[in-house]
C-alpha cells in the first residue's frame, strides 16, 4: 500500500500485479484477499469504485483456483453470460 | 401433464433476467428452471413486518431482488437480517411480476468459505451444460434418460437443424469424419488421428469429449470408438 493511502498493488492468482487507485485515501488498514470493483484506466490501472474483503477466518481462499475458474467461465459465455 | 423441473439449478443473475417465461414455466436456453441458487453480495437490506427484501449482486447484472418471508409466529433465528457487504448463497424460486424478475428465497446463508464462490461459478457452467446435453440426447431416444423431466423438446429435430456455428473448425472436422464413417463400431481415435494428421491427438481427444458432452456423438465398443448421433 502506498504511503498516501490512495494507491495499492494487488497480486492475482497468477502472480501478476495490478495497481488500484482510490478517489479517497484508505481510512483503515487492510490486508489479505480483496475483491475490487472498478474501471480500467488508460494507464492500465483500476479506478476503484468499491472493495470488499474476503473472509478467511474459517478457511483460506484459493486464489489460483479462482483464477482458473474465471478462465473457464470466459470460455463459455453461453453458460455464464455477463448481462 | 408436463413434469416440472425437479432440479435446483445454480445460475447467474444475468441468466435469470434473460430467462423466458411460457405460462408458468421459465426456461434458460430451453433448460427448464424453477428452483435456483445464486451467490452474491448483499447490497441492500430492507426489513418489513412480513418479509425482508435484499438486493443481491453477483456482478453479472444489476442486483436482484430477493424476498425472504418472515415467520411472524417464531422469534429469533430466521428473522435476523444479513448485513449489506456480506456474501451469501441464496436458494429460492424464480418469480416474475409485471415483467420484473425476483427470487423468493427459502434459504439465505452467509458464506463462511469463499472457495464456495469458486465452486458455484464452475457448477453454473457444468449444470447448464449437462442439462442442455440431456435435452439433445432425449430428443433422439424414445425413453428420456434425463432426470430433469424435460417436457416438450419438439424444437430439436435430428440431423441438419443442429447449429454448426457452436463448433470450432477442429470439432467440425472431427464430427464430419465420424458422421461419414460407415463402420458399425464407429470411428476410432487412431483412425481420426490418421485422417487428421495435422491435428494433435490431444486436440482430437478434446474435440471428441466436447462433441460427446454436447450429444453429437456417443462411444460404442469402448471409449476409443465413436459414432455420430446424426447417422442414418
Amino acid at each position: 500500500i502506498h504511503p498516501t493511502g490512495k494507491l495499492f498493488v494487488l497480486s492475482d492468482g497468477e502472480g501478476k500485479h495490478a495497481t488500484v487507485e482510490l478517489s479517497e485515501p484508505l481510512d483503515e488498514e487492510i490486508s489479505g484477499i480483496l475483491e475490487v470493483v472498478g474501471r480500467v484506466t488508460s494507464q492500465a490501472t483500476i479506478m476503484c469504485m468499491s472493495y470488499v474483503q474476503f473472509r478467511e477466518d474459517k478457511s483460506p481462499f484459493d486464489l489460483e483456483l479462482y483464477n482458473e475458474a474465471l478462465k473457464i467461465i470466459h470460455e463459455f459465455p453461453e453458460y455464464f453470460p455477463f448481462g | 401433464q408436463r413434469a416440472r423441473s425437479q432440479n435446483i439449478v445454480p445460475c447467474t443473475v444475468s441468466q435469470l433476467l434473460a430467462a423466458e417465461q411460457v405460462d408458468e414455466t421459465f426456461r434458460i436456453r430451453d433448460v427448464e428452471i424453477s428452483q435456483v441458487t445464486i451467490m452474491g453480495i448483499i447490497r441492500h437490506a430492507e426489513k418489513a413486518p412480513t418479509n425482508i427484501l435484499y438486493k443481491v449482486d453477483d456482478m453479472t447484472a444489476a442486483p436482484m431482488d430477493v424476498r425472504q418471508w418472515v415467520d411472524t409466529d417464531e422469534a429469533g433465528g430466521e428473522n435476523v437480517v444479513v448485513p449489506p457487504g456480506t456474501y451469501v448463497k441464496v436458494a429460492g424460486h424464480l418469480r416474475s411480476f409485471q415483467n420484473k424478475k425476483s427470487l423468493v428465497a427459502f434459504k439465505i446463508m452467509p458464506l463462511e468459505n469463499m472457495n464456495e464462490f469458486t465452486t458455484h461459478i464452475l457448477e453454473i457452467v457444468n449444470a447448464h451444460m449437462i442439462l442442455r446435453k440431456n435435452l439433445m440426447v432425449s430428443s433422439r431416444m424414445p425413453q428420456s434418460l434425463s432426470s430433469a423431466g424435460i417436457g416438450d423438446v419438439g424444437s430439436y429435430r435430428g440431423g441438419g437443424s443442429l447449429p454448426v456455428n457452436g463448433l470450432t473448425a477442429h470439432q467440425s472436422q472431427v464430427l464430419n469424419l465420424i458422421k461419414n464413417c460407415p463402420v458399425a463400431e464407429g470411428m476410432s481415435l487412431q483412425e481420426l488421428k490418421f485422417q487428421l494428421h495435422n491435428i494433435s491427438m490431444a486436440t482430437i481427444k478434446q474435440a471428441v469429449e466436447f462433441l460427446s458432452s454436447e450429444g453429437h456423438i456417443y462411444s460404442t465398443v469402448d471409449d476409443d470408438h465413436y459414432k455420430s448421433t446424426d447417422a442414418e
Side-chain angles (χ1 to χ4, degrees):
Chain A
I1 305 183
H2 194 268
T4 62
K6 286 190 75 171
L7 211 89
F8 54 85
V9 177
L10 294 179
S11 164
D12 79 353
E14 285 181 330
K16 303 248 172 62
H17 297 301
T19 307
V20 179
E21 288 180 51
L22 305 164
S23 47
E24 295 290 320
L26 285 172
D27 56 3
E28 53 172 358
E29 281 198 21
I30 49 172
S31 63
I33 307 271
L34 276 192
E35 180 177 50
V36 170
V37 180
R39 281 196 174 284
V40 180
T41 67
S42 50
Q43 297 102 35
T45 65
I46 302 176
M47 195 63 203
C48 174
M49 288 161 55
S50 71
Y51 66 86
V52 157
Q53 188 155 4
F54 274 14
R55 282 180 72 162
E56 289 190 278
D57 52 333
K58 298 263 167 81
S59 351
F61 183 61
D62 191 333
L63 195 56
E64 287 95 36
L65 190 64
Y66 178 69
N67 212 59
E68 288 297 308
L70 281 188
K71 288 190 203 165
I72 292 179
I73 64 180
H74 276 103
E75 251 177 79
F76 294 99
E78 69 269 33
Y79 297 119
F80 202 98
F82 287 94
Chain B
Q1 180 101 28
R2 271 223 260 142
R4 286 211 106 181
S5 171
Q6 297 296 320
N7 302 316
I8 181 164
V9 185
C11 297
T12 63
V13 170
S14 53
Q15 281 171 331
L16 296 181
L17 294 178
E20 288 159 358
Q21 185 178 14
V22 177
D23 298 327
E24 295 300 312
T25 332
F26 291 100
R27 283 185 197 281
I28 296 176
R29 301 170 61 95
D30 299 307
V31 173
E32 199 180 303
I33 54 153
S34 166
Q35 297 182 65
V36 297
T37 59
I38 63 169
M39 214 178 271
I41 189 169
I42 304 229
R43 293 291 184 204
H44 189 72
E46 209 174 283
K47 194 170 160 102
T50 54
N51 66 84
I52 306 174
L53 179 61
Y54 294 104
K55 292 207 187 280
V56 178
D57 189 353
D58 73 347
M59 319 290 184
T60 65
M64 169 162 269
D65 282 352
V66 175
R67 205 171 289 274
Q68 185 178 35
W69 295 104
V70 160
D71 201 333
T72 47
D73 294 335
E74 286 175 29
E78 296 296 317
N79 306 345
V80 175
V81 176
V82 181
T86 316
Y87 263 98
V88 292
K89 179 173 191 172
V90 177
H93 280 98
L94 183 61
R95 293 271 181 268
S96 183
F97 184 64
Q98 296 177 340
N99 247 333
K100 189 170 150 86
K101 297 241 177 47
S102 66
L103 281 185
V104 171
F106 44 81
K107 191 82 184 167
I108 299 185
M109 292 166 295
L111 290 187
E112 305 223 316
N113 184 345
M114 283 311 294
N115 291 309
E116 281 195 60
F117 193 73
T118 309
T119 317
H120 179 74
I121 62 184
L122 290 172
E123 280 177 353
I124 288 175
V125 176
N126 191 49
H128 286 264
M129 209 183 272
I130 290 184
L131 287 172
R132 266 200 90 209
K133 167 201 162 186
N134 286 346
L135 267 182
M136 290 210 177
V137 170
S138 60
S139 74
R140 282 171 184 81
M141 306 196 208
Q143 309 97 347
S144 172
L145 297 179
S146 87
S147 58
I150 307 292
D152 179 20
V153 289
S155 56
Y156 276 102
R157 297 188 304 111
S161 65
L162 280 177
V164 294
N165 52 1
L167 301 181
T168 66
H170 287 161
Q171 288 159 357
S172 294
Q173 280 178 292
V174 169
L175 181 60
N176 284 328
L177 281 175
I178 296 178
K179 265 193 201 178
N180 296 321
C181 176
V183 181
E185 63 263 18
M187 182 75 125
S188 72
L189 287 180
Q190 284 73 20
E191 184 61 29
L192 281 172
K193 177 81 184 81
F194 181 72
Q195 301 246 9
L196 300 165
H197 32 253
N198 57 333
I199 304 182
S200 74
M201 190 47 137
T203 311
I204 293 178
K205 280 193 179 171
Q206 271 179 7
V208 163
E209 262 183 52
F210 176 82
L211 292 168
S212 173
S213 74
E214 288 285 305
H216 296 300
I217 61 176
Y218 60 94
S219 61
T220 56
V221 291
D222 60 27
D223 284 338
D224 283 342
H225 289 81
Y226 290 86
K227 270 182 90 72
S228 162
T229 45
D230 295 332
E232 266 108 79

